Amino acid sequence: MGKLKHVLAATLALSLTGPAVAAADDIKMGALATLEGAFTVLGEDGMRGVKLALQEFDYTAGGKKIELVTGSSDASPDSAVRAVRKLVEQDGVQIVIGPLSGSEGLAVKDYAKTQPNVTFLNGSSAAQDTTLRSPAENFFRFSTEGAQWMAGLGEYAYNEKGYRKVAVLAEDYSFPYTQVFGFLEPFCRLGGKSPIDARFWVPIGNKDYSSVIAALPDDVDAIFVALGGADAVNFLTQYEQSGGDLPLIGGSITVDQSVLGSKGKARSFVVGTPSAGPVSDTWDDPRWKEFVAAYKKAFPDGFPSPSLFAHAYYINTKAALLALNEVNGDLSDGEKKFREALSNLSFETPTGMVSVDERRNAIADIFLTEVIEGPDGNLMNKTIKVIPQVNQTLGVSYDKFLEYGQVGRENPSCS
């Protein structure tokens, strides 16, 4: 904890006195997360993931000390660019971890193209096109993306739950578009329906869901919900209070610990909700158990189990540290050797092996889950199935996958 206090003190001093000059043997790492707005609790857990990885490496990699500088956004692309620009152009960071939210990732990817001598590793942003189309050569994502996170869920809803027609409620930006696509593509291919007029899109930070709840159709079997943070808590609370009784299908962040672990917000009607994503609270594997134990020890005031945001930021930070060890901390020549090491990296994570494809997007295991009430009363995601080594094109060729078109409100049409 002494080293952590030292780093936090250095970060505070930097904010008070202006840009600091790192020692010659230090590496300055920037971490950007949503520490403002509706996704604040998500960003706070993302930062826990960064610090957990740094603590694991004793804030040292490649023989050099790591100085952490943090940046804050509110989930909007403009705020993310402002924050990352400060980290790079004023604070002088050499490596960036972040951002958290989908459209932020698209914006930071574009900014990365203007900073060829800085290496960017994703936080948890999971919009598809951050890496699928027009990727940046210096942007890496070791944490997979939103369509990958849905692997197996569309088939499960159709074949096991017997759902044939679903409504959609999601935030109106790139990540939920990616999640909805990842769920609906297989669901519709099997014969399921989700008419365009049964899809409801709300802005981030929406507080009143009464009009949406009133407009939900009666002739559907379930609602696919892709909301996060305070948005998810607000909807679930209001839906329960309204007497809503349609079964739910959860987007990855809707039934993540950042929602399920919210104090006083546990609701029995969420039990049984199927979902899928990069983590599963009850996965019976030593790697996951060790990660959970380390998280709880380091952050006793955190969630009952690490959220997918802590997991994603941890994995991307660890990738950076492992690659720095590979190149002995050499960030010369536009960080060329460091990026080569990242491109060739394959390593064990709390949820299995991870590597990246030619567009620097992760290939990793995905978990099909269902919400249960744990023995201590906390809501948790139970592992139903592990889908191994899911790639970004979901098993089809890159050219064929591009034919699906860009994700959006009406893709797939699924009428």
Side-chain angles (χ1 to χ4, degrees):
M1 288 300 293
K3 293 182 182 295
L4 179 57
K5 289 179 181 177
H6 173 75
V7 173
L8 292 174
T11 304
L12 177 59
L14 178 64
S15 66
L16 294 175
T17 63
V21 178
D25 290 334
D26 288 355
I27 291 173
K28 296 186 77 172
M29 176 181 288
L32 167 63
T34 56
L35 302 177
E36 312 158 45
F39 292 172
T40 297
V41 295
L42 286 55
E44 290 170 346
D45 215 40
M47 286 299 185
R48 293 183 188 115
V50 173
K51 293 170 184 176
L52 198 58
L54 287 169
Q55 289 173 19
E56 185 178 318
F57 283 69
D58 197 27
Y59 280 80
T60 303
K64 299 184 178 183
K65 301 301 293 182
I66 307 297
E67 178 185 346
L68 177 64
V69 186
T70 62
S72 174
S73 67
D74 63 9
S76 67
D78 288 347
S79 73
V81 171
R82 283 194 300 271
V84 77
R85 180 177 286 122
K86 179 183 182 298
L87 288 171
V88 171
E89 299 176 26
Q90 295 182 39
D91 300 330
V93 304
Q94 298 149 287
I95 299 167
V96 174
I97 310 294
L100 181 137
S101 190
S103 293
E104 290 184 311
L106 295 170
V108 171
K109 181 262 299 256
D110 288 339
Y111 174 76
K113 293 178 180 179
T114 73
Q115 301 293 327
N117 295 323
V118 177
T119 301
F120 297 74
L121 291 93
N122 191 53
S124 59
S125 68
Q128 189 177 77
D129 277 351
T130 306
T131 50
L132 186 70
R133 293 177 175 85
S134 187
E137 293 184 359
N138 54 338
F139 189 103
F140 294 76
R141 177 159 56 189
F142 283 86
S143 49
T144 56
E145 47 95 311
Q148 288 174 280
W149 292 355
M150 293 284 92
L153 184 58
E155 294 91 338
Y156 184 77
Y158 189 89
N159 292 325
E160 302 300 325
K161 289 291 188 178
Y163 299 151
R164 293 296 181 265
K165 186 177 181 181
V166 300
V168 167
L169 171 59
E171 288 146 336
D172 196 6
Y173 73 103
S174 56
F175 167 67
Y177 299 160
T178 303
Q179 287 253 283
V180 171
F181 170 85
F183 168 71
L184 285 184
E185 194 285 322
F187 180 76
C188 299
R189 179 162 31 85
L190 289 169
K193 305 294 182 185
S194 180
I196 301 301
D197 61 6
R199 302 181 196 181
F200 301 85
W201 306 94
V202 297
I204 295 175
N206 187 63
K207 292 180 172 60
D208 183 1
Y209 288 87
S210 58
S211 61
V212 173
I213 292 170
L216 287 169
D218 297 324
D219 63 339
V220 296
D221 301 314
I223 311 168
F224 177 79
V225 183
L227 304 171
D231 292 351
V233 172
N234 287 335
F235 167 72
L236 293 172
T237 301
Q238 293 171 39
Y239 190 63
E240 180 185 34
Q241 291 172 346
S242 73
D245 58 1
L246 283 170
L248 305 180
I249 305 165
S252 300
I253 67 175
T254 305
V255 294
D256 176 68
Q257 277 298 322
S258 55
V259 175
L260 298 183
S262 298
K263 291 179 174 57
K265 301 298 183 182
R267 287 163 299 276
S268 59
F269 83 96
V270 182
V271 172
T273 299
S275 185
V279 301
S280 176
D281 301 327
T282 67
W283 192 37
D284 189 20
D285 184 279
R287 293 166 294 184
W288 177 250
K289 290 181 177 180
E290 182 179 343
F291 180 62
V292 173
Y295 171 91
K296 288 183 174 180
K297 181 179 179 180
F299 310 108
D301 294 331
F303 296 122
S305 185
S307 72
L308 68 83
F309 303 95
H311 170 265
Y313 272 82
Y314 170 85
I315 286 178
N316 283 294
T317 305
K318 186 167 184 175
L321 298 171
L322 289 170
L324 284 170
N325 280 343
E326 286 277 337
V327 300
N328 297 315
D330 184 356
L331 294 178
S332 63
D333 193 21
E335 307 188 0
K336 181 179 179 182
K337 291 180 181 178
F338 177 57
R339 288 179 201 156
E340 288 177 353
L342 286 170
S343 296
N344 295 315
L345 194 60
S346 179
F347 66 102
E348 287 279 3
T349 78
T351 49
M353 290 297 297
V354 169
S355 59
V356 291
D357 62 20
E358 61 271 24
R359 290 170 297 281
R360 296 159 295 283
N361 189 83
I363 302 167
D365 294 349
I366 300 297
F367 297 84
L368 181 65
T369 63
E370 194 161 289
V371 177
I372 63 168
E373 184 173 341
D376 55 3
N378 291 320
L379 296 183
M380 309 183 77
N381 284 298
K382 176 184 177 181
T383 308
I384 296 173
K385 182 180 180 181
V386 179
I387 296 88
Q389 297 298 288
V390 178
N391 68 10
Q392 189 173 29
T393 60
L394 308 180
V396 305
S397 70
Y398 177 67
D399 290 340
K400 182 70 174 176
F401 194 77
L402 289 182
E403 293 178 7
Y404 287 126
Q406 287 185 291
V407 296
R409 288 180 168 192
E410 299 183 5
N411 183 19
S413 61
C414 198
S415 58

